[in-house]
Amino acid sequence: MIISFDHKFVFIKTLKTAGTSVEESLNRFLGPDDIATPVFPDVEGHQPRNYMIDGTRVRNHGSAKEAREVIRARGFDPKDFHFWSIEREPLDKCLSHYSMLRFSPDHAKF
């Protein structure tokens, strides 16, 4: 998840939809107070920041509701932010998930 207070947007990351690549691309535009959650495995170009708030971790695949709570806690109105995400065709998403579990050395369980 990325929350940009400078640019007033929230990127909600869903599973197996190239969300990490999008986060990596957006990361260079973030200000020092913006939030970027960590990704696993680490990706060059993605710099996690400000994702611990009062001992609570902002989740990588957190919900829009969680993002609104964080925004309110920082004294902003969520209505002023543009929320967006990416979704993928369901069968393609399942195949991608299977391939990750089967072939990725960081995720292989078979």
Side-chain angles (χ1 to χ4, degrees), residues 5 9 19 24 28 38 43-44 52 60 76 78 83 93 106:
F5 296 98
F9 76 81
E24 178 186 348
R28 69 185 119 194
V43 173
E44 186 177 334
M52 292 297 291
N60 188 25
F76 292 90
F83 285 67
K93 188 174 180 175
D106 295 313

Side-chain angles (χ1 to χ4, degrees), residues 9-102:
F9 76 81
V10 176
F11 173 65
I12 304 293
K13 183 178 176 183
T14 58
L15 297 169
K16 305 312 303 164
T17 57
T20 299
S21 296
V22 172
E23 285 184 322
E24 178 186 348
S25 296
L26 291 173
N27 212 281
R28 69 185 119 194
F29 301 108
L30 299 181
D33 296 326
D34 292 343
I35 295 171
T37 57
V39 296
F40 174 80
D42 291 334
V43 173
E44 186 177 334
H46 179 77
Q47 180 185 358
R49 64 188 88 183
N50 307 319
Y51 59 90
M52 292 297 291
I53 300 173
D54 297 328
T56 301
R57 183 181 181 136
V58 178
R59 295 183 320 122
N60 188 25
H61 295 285
S63 68
K65 179 181 178 183
E66 292 168 345
R68 286 191 297 271
E69 291 170 0
V70 169
I71 291 167
R72 282 189 195 101
R74 291 274 182 99
F76 292 90
D77 186 347
K79 293 178 195 166
D80 296 333
F81 285 69
H82 177 73
F83 285 67
W84 63 285
S85 188
I86 298 171
E87 196 48 76
R88 191 174 189 173
E89 192 273 325
L91 180 57
D92 191 39
K93 188 174 180 175
C94 288
L95 292 172
S96 175
H97 189 241
Y98 169 78
S99 293
M100 177 193 72
L101 293 176
R102 179 70 173 98

